[in-house]
Amino acid sequence: MKNNLLLLTAALVSLFFAGCEREQFNHEGADEAPAHSFSVGQGHKVMFSPGNLQYCTIGSHTTVEGTASGTFRFAEHQYEYLGEANALVSDTNTEWIDLLTWGSSGWHVAPSSEKDGDYDIESLCGSEAYADWGVYNAIGNDAPGTWRTLTREEWDYLVNLRAGSTVDGTDSARYAEATVCSVKGLILFPDQFERPNAIAPIVNINRNNFEISFNDNNYDAEQWALMEDAGAVFLPAAGFRGGKWLSTIGDGGSYWAATCNTDRQAYALLFINGLINASAECTYEKDRGYGRSVRLVKDVTPR
């Protein structure tokens, strides 16, 4: 039974990380950060949005070029994701979705598009800022340019390289897998973090290991409120989609980076079954057409 479970887990990890490679970056540690901020490069700090980005075809929103159809908002809670609702994606769907295809800022491709070919344009690559949801669009009451997407290098620095507080015996605590309000996901600790006294010691911090479990750190709503007040950020394991086909919903996290690779491929933060790849190079031919989670940030120091 145990061997079968290991084989099944290995198969899921292989599918989730298919075509993804890890590349090392050599960055120095960040300067001392304000409370509840996160270093994403040397001397460069950000704050995270209050929840994952969501989109609905109903209504309209402001863009840097005027007005576009549809509405963007943030999830009400950090642990919220929409799951099966994403299987209804279409230009006529009136439900909210939160697994968005890369570059679907409304500049060229609508987040509701089902056509893989819409994402196969090289002009969405390079330094074109309009491929970024936050740069291009108003989100809720926030004007275009308030928020942006982390780059591949920034995700890597955040998860693997930045300095941080010592938490429960682990120096430079950066992340830990956890379950929050019955939702699996990844906790990110701010540069300066102190575990609330009412919270049990946090285990398996900074561990990238096959045997780590989301259940090793488990929080109800009241406990998570304390962690959130201390600056912790939670990325729910919302899975991903290809068209209307959903995978690893509730078991794996898949978060877009702003960085593209080729005219059909881009990068993402991926985590599942204790394994984390913060700068995943996904080389499936139509990877940009995959729907993944989007978590935006706001700069608190100049880039």
Side-chain angles (χ1 to χ4, degrees):
M1 177 65 73
K2 182 177 180 181
N3 288 338
N4 289 339
L5 180 59
L6 290 174
L7 289 172
L8 176 59
T9 303
L12 286 172
V13 171
S14 177
L15 172 65
F16 195 66
F17 286 101
C20 297
E21 298 177 354
R22 173 76 167 85
E23 181 177 339
Q24 293 289 339
F25 289 84
N26 295 317
H27 297 291
E28 299 298 325
D31 298 333
E32 184 177 357
H36 299 184
S37 64
F38 297 76
S39 293
V40 293
Q42 189 171 11
H44 180 204
K45 304 166 184 63
V46 301
M47 304 286 287
F48 276 87
S49 62
N52 283 1
L53 188 63
Q54 300 178 345
Y55 176 80
C56 181
T57 59
I58 301 298
S60 62
H61 64 278
T62 303
T63 76
V64 294
E65 293 183 345
T67 303
S69 61
T71 306
F72 286 101
R73 71 181 185 188
F74 292 123
E76 183 177 359
H77 302 288
Q78 293 203 53
Y79 49 81
E80 178 184 340
Y81 68 91
L82 299 177
E84 297 296 329
N86 288 278
L88 303 174
V89 62
S90 77
D91 291 336
T92 59
N93 174 41
T94 60
E95 301 296 324
W96 291 90
I97 61 172
D98 62 358
L99 295 178
L100 307 177
T101 48
W102 192 90
S104 58
S105 62
W107 166 58
H108 181 83
V109 183
S112 55
S113 178
E114 300 175 67
K115 302 174 183 177
D116 288 332
D118 284 350
Y119 312 98
D120 299 344
I121 52 174
E122 192 168 0
S123 57
L124 277 175
C125 209
S127 61
E128 182 53 77
Y130 292 168
D132 190 307
W133 298 268
V135 172
Y136 189 69
N137 299 288
I139 301 172
N141 294 321
D142 296 329
T146 302
W147 302 93
R148 68 176 183 86
T149 312
L150 290 175
T151 66
R152 174 200 189 190
E153 291 84 358
E154 289 173 328
W155 274 122
D156 185 71
Y157 191 100
L158 175 80
V159 171
N160 295 310
L161 302 169
R162 66 188 168 104
S165 301
T166 298
V167 178
D168 293 320
T170 299
D171 295 333
S172 291
R174 295 182 291 271
Y175 66 87
E177 290 197 354
T179 297
V180 175
C181 296
S182 301
V183 175
K184 299 175 183 177
L186 188 71
I187 291 176
L188 300 176
F189 302 110
D191 293 356
Q192 298 180 23
F193 178 80
E194 183 175 350
R195 174 176 52 80
N197 290 333
I199 299 298
I202 302 168
V203 301
N204 294 327
I205 298 173
N206 296 351
R207 293 281 303 278
N208 191 348
N209 189 297
F210 219 164
E211 297 181 357
I212 303 303
S213 169
F214 290 107
N215 293 320
D216 290 339
N217 300 294
N218 205 318
Y219 307 104
D220 60 21
E222 182 177 354
Q223 292 168 326
W224 175 245
L226 295 174
M227 291 284 286
E228 197 170 39
D229 287 344
V233 163
F234 186 68
L235 305 179
F240 70 96
R241 69 174 176 85
K244 297 178 182 295
W245 173 74
L246 306 178
S247 180
T248 62
I249 301 294
D251 290 311
S254 182
Y255 285 75
W256 279 124
T259 310
C260 70
N261 180 11
T262 70
D263 60 349
R264 293 189 175 199
Q265 298 156 9
Y267 296 90
L269 163 74
L270 306 178
F271 58 88
I272 188 172
N273 293 328
L275 299 180
I276 300 171
N277 189 329
S279 58
E281 180 179 350
C282 300
T283 55
Y284 176 62
E285 182 181 4
K286 298 179 180 179
D287 184 67
R288 287 189 187 180
Y290 272 26
R292 304 183 190 275
S293 299
V294 176
R295 190 62 169 269
L296 301 182
V297 299
K298 179 187 299 184
D299 293 300
V300 295
T301 60
R303 295 180 69 184

